[in-house]
Amino acid sequence: MSKIRKISGFPEWLPEERIVEEQIINTIRSVYNSHGFTSIETPAVELLSNLTNQGVIDKEIYALKRAGGTDDSEAEFGLHFDLTVPFARYVAQHFSELQFPFRRQTLQKVWRGDRPQKGRFREFYQYDIDILVRDQLPIACDAEIITVIDKAYRKLNIAPHKIRINNRKLLMGFYESLGLNEDLQKKAVIAVDKLDKIGTAGVAAELNNCGILGASSEKILKLAETRLTKANFEKGISDLGVSNDLFKLGIEETAALLKLISSEAASVVEIDLSLARGLAYYTGTILEVLLPDHPEFGSAGGGGRYENLTSNFMKESLPAVGASIGITRLVDLVLTKKLIPLKQKCPTTLLVTVLNEEQRVVCNGIADKLRDIDISTEVFYKSPKLGKQIDYASSKGIPYVLFIQDNGVLQVKNLETKNQIEHKSVDTIIEFFKGN
Amino acid sequence: MSKIRKISGFPEWLPEERIVEEQIINTIRSVYNSHGFTSIETPAVELLSNLTNQGVIDKEIYALKRAGGTDDSEAEFGLHFDLTVPFARYVAQHFSELQFPFRRQTLQKVWRGDRPQKGRFREFYQYDIDILVRDQLPIACDAEIITVIDKAYRKLNIAPHKIRINNRKLLMGFYESLGLNEDLQKKAVIAVDKLDKIGTAGVAAELNNCGILGASSEKILKLAETRLTKANFEKGISDLGVSNDLFKLGIEETAALLKLISSEAASVVEIDLSLARGLAYYTGTILEVLLPDHPEFGSAGGGGRYENLTSNFMKESLPAVGASIGITRLVDLVLTKKLIPLKQKCPTTLLVTVLNEEQRVVCNGIADKLRDIDISTEVFYKSPKLGKQIDYASSKGIPYVLFIQDNGVLQVKNLETKNQIEHKSVDTIIEFFKGN
C-alpha cells in the first residue's frame, strides 16, 4: 500500500472549501474582466537561468529532474516562483505579436521552497494584473491598478480593507536630501521595510549597522512615522521641507495619483511613508492592501510600478505597473476565520430522487430540462428509500429535492424551509426557479 | 541579458488563443457543473513513491530538487502525470470528510517528460470527471459519464464527434472462451489496443509473439473488427456465440448502458470491440471520443470504470467511473485547424476614448456605470488623437468605442458595422447594451 501523508506547505481543500476558493477567484476575475484585463498563462516552468538571481533566494527555487534514469537534460528547468518574471519573459518573447498597452491578468500557481510554517505555502495561487506600455506610462495606469484592487476587495466583502500607498521617489528623494548615496538609499529602504517586524529600535540598529547615524537616522524614522490622506497630503508632504527634484517628482506623481483613483479607493487609501515593499525593483508608486481586522495577516495584496520590467529580457525597457493578490493565503484566512460560511459541498441545486429504476429515464429527462435553464441537477445514482436520498442531499447541502408521486405529480421540497410544492409538470418548476 | 527560447512541449498561448482556451474550458465546465460535479484540486506535487510504478514510465516523471544548495529533501516529491492517481490519494486521505457518491471535476495541469513531438505536450491541462461510490457502482453512473462527455462535445460544437465504447468484460470473456489464461488475456488486450497504429498484420505478429496462434489469433482479430450500434447490439453480440459468465456480464452491462445513455449520446455511440484503452486498470465500460473529421488527432477524450480505484491507498477498494478531456491537445487542434475563429485579444466590449486629460475622471465614471451592468470597459490610458485610440481598439478587436463630443453628447461607434449612435447620457447606452 502506498503512503499517504499531508505534504506540508502544499494546501489541499475539501470540496466545500474549494467552493469558497472558487467564489473568491470568480469575484476577483469579474472585477479584472470588467476593466478589460486579458488572461494569459505561462508554463509552470522557466529556464532555471531566468529564475535565479531574480530577488528570490536560489535555494527556494524548485528545479526539475527526471525521476527515473540519469538523463538530466531537464535540470535546466525550474518552477516559477512568481508571475512577474514569467510575464516579463512572455512580453519579450511575443513582443511583435502583442498590442500595447498590454493589460494582462494571470491566475496561476507559483512554487517556493520556503520553510513551512503557518500561513506560509510552498505552492500557492497568485492573481496578478499589470499594465505595460511601449512608451511613457501615465499615472492614470497606477490609479487604475489601485482602483481595481480596491474594487476587488470591496466586492469580496470579507473584511474592511485599507490601501497603503507610497512612492519610491519620495523615499529615495528624502534619503538623497540627507546626503545618502544610492547604495545607502537602498539599504535604508530595506531597513525601513522591516519596521512592522522589528520596530523602531530594530530599524535604528540596522541603519546604524549601515553607517546611517544620528540626525539622518532620526529623520528616516520620523519620515517612516508619517501618515497622510488624500485631504492633507499636499500640506503634510511640503511640511517635510525637502526640495530636490526626485522628491518633487514623487510629490507630483502621488498628487496626480490621488486625483485619479476612484473616490471609493481614496476613502481607504493612506499615504504611508514607511511602506517600502522590500527589495523588488519598484521605481515609483507602491501599494499594499491591509485588512485592519486581521493585523497578523499582513499584506493582503500589493504591487507597484517598475520602470524597467523587461530589461532583463530585451533591449527595449518597458515600464509597467501592477498588483498581485495572494489567493491561497487569502483563502486560508477566510477559512480559518470563517469569514465566508461553508455551505454546499457541490454545485448541485436540485436532486431528482429515483424511487425505482423504471423511473430513471423519466428522471433523467426532468433533470435535463432543469439543466437547460442552468439549474445544476443531479439524479440519484440508485433507488433506495426516499429518506436515504434526502439524507444524501442534506449531507451535501443540496437545497432542493424532487420526487415523482405515484399519481405523476412532481413534488419539490426545499430542505431548509421544509416547504414543499406540487407541480403538474416540469414547466411550472422551471417557472418557479426562474422567478427565484 | 537572460536567454529567451521556446521550451519545447510547454505550450504558451497568445491572448487571442488563450481566449479560445478559456471558451473551451468554460463550455465544458458549464456542462460538468450542470450535472453537479464538484470541483477539487490537488497540489501539483505528490510523493514520488506514489507516482512511480503507476502505469507511466518512471523516466517520464519530473521529480523536484532545490536549485541552490545541496539539501535534497524535496527529492521525494514529483509532479503528477495525470489526475487519477492524485484523485485516488485525495479520496483515501479525506475519506471520512467526503460524502458518497463523490462526484468530482478537476481541471489541472499535468506533466510528462515525453519526447517532444507535434501534438505531444510535456505540460498540459486535463479536465476530468469521476463518480466514486462506497458500495456497488450502478451502470447508471457509466451512462451519466458518457452522456456528459457527449453533451460537452455537442456544446463545444467544434466538429462532429463519435463515442466508441466497449466493455473489458466482453474482451476478457471472449479471450477466456478461447482458453487464454489471465496473463495471455492481458497481453491480447495490449496487442489489440495497437490496432489503429500497427494494423491487423502488426497485431497478428504481436499475438504470435505471445504464443497466441492460428484460430485464436484469427478470432481475436475478427472480434476486433466487430462494430455494433445500440440498434443491433443484442443480436450482433449473441451471434458471437460466447456463453461464459464474464462475457454474459459484459453483454448485460453494455445493454443496460445503452438503455441509460441519453438518446443524443446513443446516436453517436458505436460499440467497438477493438477498443482496449491500453494498460489502464479498467474493469468494465471503456469509452473514447473521436472526431471523424480529424482522424489524425486520435482520442479526443476517454475513460472508463475502475473497480478498485483506491486500492493502492486504502483497504476499502472503491469503484469509480470517469472520463478525461485533454484540453491542451484539443485547444492545439482547434487553433491549428482554425475550428474556432480568433476574434478579440482582450475581454473588452467598449473603449472609452479620452480626448483630453481633463475628461479622464468623467470617462472613468462612464466606464464604471457600464462595468456595473457587466460591460467590460477600458478607458484609454492617455489622450492622443481619436484615430489613434480607435486604431488601438481595432487592433485588439474591441467592438465598440465611445467618445464625448464637445457638446457633451456621447457617441458610441460599432467598429465592425461603422454604425454610430448618439446618446444624451450613459443611461441610454446601458439600455442599448441591455437590449443587445
Side-chain angles (χ1 to χ4, degrees):
Chain A
M1 191 116 40
S2 292
K3 264 192 293 185
I4 298 181
R5 72 158 220 257
K6 204 183 162 320
I7 306 183
S8 173
F10 290 82
E12 180 166 86
W13 310 124
L14 291 171
E16 58 273 32
E17 297 170 334
R18 168 70 181 153
I19 284 174
V20 168
E21 179 173 64
E22 286 192 308
Q23 194 178 322
I24 288 173
I25 287 170
N26 290 338
T27 300
I28 299 173
R29 179 180 290 132
S30 72
V31 174
Y32 288 179
N33 279 346
S34 76
H35 277 252
F37 289 91
T38 197
S39 167
I40 60 164
E41 286 196 352
T42 65
V45 155
E46 296 285 331
L47 290 178
L48 201 51
S49 57
N50 290 343
L51 294 174
T52 51
N53 298 314
Q54 295 269 8
V56 153
I57 304 157
D58 290 356
K59 262 190 80 171
E60 294 189 353
I61 299 171
Y62 288 120
L64 300 190
K65 64 173 185 183
R66 293 296 179 98
T70 52
D71 172 9
D72 220 18
S73 63
E74 262 79 17
E76 53 174 334
F77 303 145
L79 297 175
H80 55 210
F81 57 80
D82 75 0
L83 303 177
T84 303
V85 173
F87 174 51
R89 195 266 312 143
Y90 181 97
V91 169
Q93 185 167 335
H94 305 289
F95 185 61
S96 65
E97 299 160 286
L98 301 176
Q99 281 69 41
F100 299 89
F102 186 52
R103 302 158 59 85
R104 71 105 180 209
Q105 58 172 297
T106 300
L107 169 72
Q108 278 189 264
K109 280 182 177 170
V110 305
W111 290 266
R112 285 187 202 177
D114 213 345
R115 200 171 310 156
Q117 49 180 299
K118 177 68 194 153
R120 287 270 183 181
F121 296 104
R122 298 199 276 181
E123 170 177 306
F124 53 97
Y125 271 119
Q126 286 195 321
Y127 204 169
D128 285 20
I129 43 170
D130 288 278
I131 304 173
L132 180 143
V133 300
R134 290 192 64 170
D135 49 356
Q136 283 229 323
L137 185 70
I139 290 294
C141 296
D142 308 51
E144 183 174 6
I145 295 292
I146 291 172
T147 300
V148 169
I149 293 296
D150 172 68
K151 281 188 189 181
Y153 268 94
R154 226 163 263 282
K155 202 163 174 189
L156 281 171
N157 196 27
I158 46 179
H161 67 286
K162 279 198 133 187
I163 303 177
R164 303 160 74 196
I165 66 165
N166 197 358
N167 189 308
R168 277 280 172 97
K169 294 187 180 86
L170 290 175
L171 289 183
M172 296 307 204
F174 188 86
Y175 301 158
E176 190 189 304
S177 78
L178 302 176
L180 305 186
N181 63 25
E182 224 171 280
D183 181 51
L184 284 177
Q185 289 174 27
K186 279 184 189 160
K187 285 183 173 155
V189 166
I190 295 169
V192 167
D193 189 50
K194 298 178 184 161
L195 189 62
D196 286 351
K197 281 183 196 153
I198 61 177
T200 309
V203 175
E206 194 147 320
L207 291 172
N208 194 52
N209 285 344
C210 308
I212 304 171
L213 314 160
S216 290
S217 173
E218 273 169 37
K219 283 182 180 168
I220 287 173
L221 288 165
K222 186 106 200 294
L223 182 77
E225 283 167 14
T226 310
R227 303 284 180 277
L228 301 166
T229 62
K230 183 178 174 182
N232 67 9
F233 172 72
E234 307 230 12
K235 170 153 181 11
I237 203 79
S238 67
D239 282 355
L240 293 169
V242 180
S243 63
N244 63 46
D245 289 349
L246 195 58
F247 195 81
K248 278 200 273 185
L249 195 55
I251 295 180
E252 224 172 81
E253 288 185 5
T254 309
L257 181 73
L258 292 168
K259 277 198 192 101
L260 288 171
I261 57 177
S262 67
S263 54
E264 290 83 5
S267 74
V268 297
V269 154
E270 182 176 72
I271 302 99
D272 179 339
L273 287 141
S274 75
L275 182 65
R277 298 275 311 155
L279 265 173
Y281 303 113
Y282 294 119
T283 51
T285 306
I286 41 184
L287 65 122
E288 189 165 88
V289 184
L290 291 178
L291 306 176
D293 291 355
H294 308 282
E296 76 295 348
F297 181 63
S299 167
R305 170 188 282 242
Y306 298 81
E307 217 63 51
N308 313 300
L309 185 73
T310 58
S311 57
N312 205 21
F313 294 104
M314 61 193 293
K315 276 183 195 154
E316 230 176 311
S317 181
L318 308 177
V321 56
S324 179
I325 297 179
I327 299 296
T328 303
R329 284 184 67 239
L330 189 61
V331 171
D332 186 53
L333 174 80
V334 164
L335 294 174
T336 308
K337 303 266 179 171
K338 299 182 174 51
L339 303 181
I340 298 177
L342 297 181
K343 274 188 193 159
Q344 289 201 224
K345 300 185 177 189
C346 59
T348 315
T349 300
L350 183 141
L351 175 74
V352 178
T353 59
V354 182
L355 300 182
N356 57 66
E357 287 304 316
E358 288 66 48
Q359 275 189 355
R360 183 167 299 281
V361 173
V362 174
C363 292
N364 284 342
I366 292 170
D368 274 343
K369 284 191 179 165
L370 294 171
R371 289 167 186 145
D372 282 346
I373 60 153
D374 277 336
I375 304 295
S376 173
T377 304
E378 194 181 321
V379 177
F380 201 64
Y381 74 125
K382 46 184 196 177
S383 43
K385 281 192 181 145
L386 184 60
K388 272 205 145 183
Q389 302 187 49
I390 290 177
D391 287 350
Y392 165 77
S394 298
S395 75
K396 282 198 172 169
I398 298 172
Y400 294 94
V401 293
L402 179 152
F403 53 95
I404 305 174
Q405 288 181 340
D406 288 343
N407 57 7
V409 166
L410 307 174
Q411 283 275 7
V412 176
K413 183 171 182 174
N414 180 325
L415 290 184
E416 208 178 323
T417 64
K418 311 287 176 203
N419 198 8
Q420 200 156 315
I421 300 175
E422 291 193 351
H423 294 270
K424 290 231 168 96
S425 76
V426 190
D427 297 338
T428 65
I429 301 178
I430 289 174
E431 270 167 45
F432 168 76
F433 278 110
K434 279 191 172 167
N436 263 10
Chain B
M1 192 116 41
S2 292
K3 266 192 291 186
I4 299 180
R5 72 157 221 256
K6 204 183 164 318
I7 306 183
S8 173
F10 290 82
E12 180 167 87
W13 310 124
L14 290 172
E16 58 272 31
E17 296 169 336
R18 168 69 182 154
I19 284 174
V20 168
E21 179 172 63
E22 286 192 306
Q23 194 178 322
I24 288 172
I25 287 170
N26 290 338
T27 300
I28 298 172
R29 178 179 291 132
S30 71
V31 174
Y32 289 178
N33 279 346
S34 76
H35 277 251
F37 289 91
T38 196
S39 167
I40 60 163
E41 287 196 351
T42 65
V45 156
E46 295 285 332
L47 290 178
L48 201 51
S49 57
N50 289 343
L51 294 174
T52 50
N53 298 315
Q54 294 271 8
V56 153
I57 304 158
D58 290 356
K59 263 190 77 171
E60 294 189 354
I61 298 171
Y62 288 120
L64 299 190
K65 64 174 185 183
R66 293 295 180 98
T70 51
D71 172 11
D72 220 19
S73 63
E74 261 78 17
E76 54 174 334
F77 302 145
L79 297 175
H80 55 209
F81 57 79
D82 75 0
L83 303 177
T84 303
V85 173
F87 174 51
R89 194 266 311 144
Y90 181 97
V91 169
Q93 184 166 336
H94 305 289
F95 186 61
S96 64
E97 299 161 286
L98 300 177
Q99 281 69 41
F100 298 89
F102 186 52
R103 303 159 57 86
R104 70 107 179 207
Q105 58 172 297
T106 300
L107 170 72
Q108 278 189 264
K109 279 181 177 172
V110 304
W111 291 266
R112 284 187 201 176
D114 212 345
R115 200 171 310 155
Q117 50 179 298
K118 178 67 194 155
R120 288 269 184 183
F121 296 103
R122 298 198 276 181
E123 169 177 308
F124 53 97
Y125 271 118
Q126 286 194 320
Y127 205 169
D128 285 20
I129 43 172
D130 288 277
I131 304 173
L132 179 142
V133 302
R134 291 192 63 171
D135 50 355
Q136 283 230 324
L137 185 70
I139 290 294
C141 297
D142 309 51
E144 183 174 7
I145 294 291
I146 292 172
T147 299
V148 169
I149 293 295
D150 172 68
K151 281 188 188 182
Y153 267 95
R154 225 164 264 281
K155 202 162 174 189
L156 281 171
N157 195 27
I158 46 179
H161 67 285
K162 281 198 131 186
I163 302 175
R164 303 161 73 196
I165 66 166
N166 198 358
N167 189 309
R168 277 281 172 96
K169 295 186 179 87
L170 290 174
L171 290 183
M172 296 305 205
F174 187 86
Y175 301 158
E176 189 188 307
S177 79
L178 301 176
L180 305 186
N181 64 24
E182 225 171 278
D183 180 51
L184 283 178
Q185 289 173 29
K186 278 185 192 161
K187 284 184 174 157
V189 166
I190 295 169
V192 166
D193 189 50
K194 297 179 184 161
L195 189 62
D196 285 350
K197 282 184 195 152
I198 61 177
T200 309
V203 175
E206 193 146 321
L207 291 171
N208 196 53
N209 285 344
C210 308
I212 305 171
L213 312 160
S216 290
S217 173
E218 272 168 38
K219 282 182 181 168
I220 287 173
L221 288 165
K222 185 104 201 296
L223 182 77
E225 282 167 15
T226 310
R227 302 284 179 280
L228 301 167
T229 63
K230 183 178 173 180
N232 67 8
F233 172 72
E234 308 230 13
K235 170 152 179 19
I237 203 80
S238 67
D239 282 356
L240 293 170
V242 180
S243 63
N244 62 47
D245 289 349
L246 196 57
F247 195 81
K248 278 201 275 186
L249 195 54
I251 294 180
E252 225 171 80
E253 287 185 5
T254 308
L257 181 74
L258 291 169
K259 277 197 193 102
L260 288 171
I261 57 177
S262 68
S263 54
E264 290 83 6
S267 73
V268 297
V269 153
E270 182 176 73
I271 301 99
D272 178 338
L273 286 141
S274 74
L275 182 65
R277 300 273 311 155
L279 265 173
Y281 303 111
Y282 295 118
T283 51
T285 306
I286 41 182
L287 66 122
E288 188 165 88
V289 184
L290 291 179
L291 307 176
D293 292 355
H294 308 282
E296 76 294 351
F297 182 63
S299 167
R305 170 188 282 241
Y306 298 81
E307 217 62 50
N308 312 301
L309 186 72
T310 58
S311 56
N312 205 20
F313 295 103
M314 61 193 293
K315 276 182 196 154
E316 231 177 311
S317 182
L318 309 178
V321 57
S324 179
I325 297 180
I327 299 294
T328 303
R329 284 184 67 240
L330 189 61
V331 171
D332 186 52
L333 174 80
V334 164
L335 294 174
T336 308
K337 303 265 180 173
K338 299 181 173 52
L339 303 181
I340 297 177
L342 298 181
K343 274 188 194 160
Q344 287 201 225
K345 301 184 177 190
C346 59
T348 316
T349 300
L350 182 141
L351 175 73
V352 178
T353 59
V354 181
L355 300 182
N356 56 65
E357 287 304 316
E358 287 67 48
Q359 276 188 355
R360 183 166 299 280
V361 173
V362 175
C363 292
N364 284 342
I366 293 170
D368 273 344
K369 284 191 177 162
L370 294 170
R371 290 167 185 144
D372 282 346
I373 60 153
D374 277 335
I375 304 295
S376 173
T377 304
E378 194 181 320
V379 177
F380 201 66
Y381 74 125
K382 45 183 196 175
S383 44
K385 282 191 181 145
L386 184 59
K388 273 206 141 181
Q389 302 186 50
I390 291 176
D391 287 349
Y392 165 77
S394 298
S395 75
K396 281 197 173 171
I398 298 171
Y400 294 94
V401 293
L402 178 153
F403 51 95
I404 306 174
Q405 287 182 341
D406 288 341
N407 58 6
V409 167
L410 307 173
Q411 284 275 6
V412 175
K413 182 171 182 174
N414 179 325
L415 291 184
E416 209 179 322
T417 64
K418 311 289 175 201
N419 198 8
Q420 199 156 314
I421 299 174
E422 291 194 353
H423 295 270
K424 289 231 169 98
S425 76
V426 190
D427 297 339
T428 65
I429 302 177
I430 289 174
E431 271 168 43
F432 167 77
F433 278 110
K434 279 190 172 167
N436 263 10

